[in-house]
Amino acid sequence: MTTLSIFNQNEPQTALSVTNDAGEIQRLLAEQGIRFEQWSTRDLPADASQDEILEAYANEVSRLKSECGFQTADVVSLNPDHPDKDAFRKKFLDEHTHSEDEVRFFVRGQGLFYLHLGELVYAVLCQRNDLISVPDGTRHWFDMGPEPEFTCIRLFSNPDGWVAEFTGEAIASELPQYESLAGVA
């Protein structure tokens, strides 16, 4: 279930609030300039190709490209048996920013986006059918958990994709990780 947990950066181990109401999550994130949507489910085979996935969501992807000026879209997947899963997880666990929006639509699985907004950190556990758009310049990090399993559509303004600019802050290591917030043992 999609959840939003809000933490104060000065008391990072205790959530100030938690909600699993999608409308409330959308409202709270919109107040911070974060786009959050839920798209209708498409029945796709587990081994659907990038082209099949992009075709299934062509209308939504086209709408976002038109509204936001995105140039390209692709599909990224990660499974628990991937030999580099630990390195991929570590790569995104440090706080960073991008010079363009980071947009992810979860076709399957889940992942946890942390958004460091002022003194608050919004931890959004995104799941199947969730779209999140993190505006450029927003301090954030992503935790896919120790056994990642997700497929996401990504949209880019720059055809070369995004590059992370790490902040050097330790805040990401001070908040509860995926295992705690996703209820995974």
Side-chain angles (χ1 to χ4, degrees):
M1 172 178 321
T2 304
T3 59
L4 170 64
S5 303
I6 302 174
F7 298 87
N8 183 302
Q9 69 180 7
N10 299 317
E11 296 178 36
Q13 292 300 313
T14 305
L16 300 173
S17 67
V18 178
T19 184
N20 59 13
D21 178 310
E24 181 70 358
I25 292 169
Q26 184 176 28
R27 183 187 71 75
L28 290 167
L29 292 175
E31 288 176 355
Q32 300 299 318
I34 309 297
R35 182 181 200 143
F36 177 83
E37 300 175 359
Q38 292 186 316
W39 293 354
S40 298
T41 300
R42 306 291 195 280
D43 290 323
L44 294 166
D47 63 347
S49 70
Q50 173 171 288
D51 289 340
E52 291 171 317
I53 291 168
L54 290 174
E55 183 177 319
Y57 291 97
N59 289 338
E60 291 88 346
V61 169
S62 179
R63 175 180 54 87
L64 282 180
K65 283 182 172 181
S66 177
E67 284 178 21
C68 305
F70 297 118
Q71 300 296 308
T72 62
D74 71 5
V75 175
V76 62
S77 291
L78 201 59
N79 293 309
D81 60 352
H82 194 288
D84 296 323
K85 68 181 182 187
D86 294 334
F88 284 129
R89 182 183 189 195
K90 184 175 179 351
K91 177 180 178 180
F92 300 110
L93 277 178
D94 289 328
E95 185 183 72
H96 59 277
T97 64
H98 304 291
S99 61
E100 70 173 83
D101 295 357
E102 180 171 350
V103 182
R104 299 293 180 270
F105 171 71
F106 285 79
V107 175
R108 72 172 180 89
Q110 64 183 20
L112 188 56
F113 275 90
Y114 295 81
L115 312 165
H116 190 182
L117 307 168
E119 291 192 6
L120 299 178
V121 176
Y122 292 67
V124 187
L125 179 63
C126 294
Q127 299 192 324
R128 183 179 181 197
N129 301 330
D130 290 344
L131 174 124
I132 190 165
S133 180
V134 180
D136 66 3
T138 301
R139 298 184 310 170
H140 69 284
W141 62 97
F142 178 71
D143 190 350
M144 61 187 72
E147 299 295 321
E149 188 156 355
F150 63 86
T151 299
C152 290
I153 295 174
R154 306 183 300 177
L155 289 104
F156 300 99
S157 298
N158 177 348
D160 296 329
W162 55 261
V163 176
E165 302 271 341
F166 292 94
T167 67
E169 297 292 326
I171 183 108
S173 66
E174 297 169 1
L175 273 95
Q177 288 189 319
Y178 179 93
E179 294 86 338
S180 174
L181 295 180
V184 176

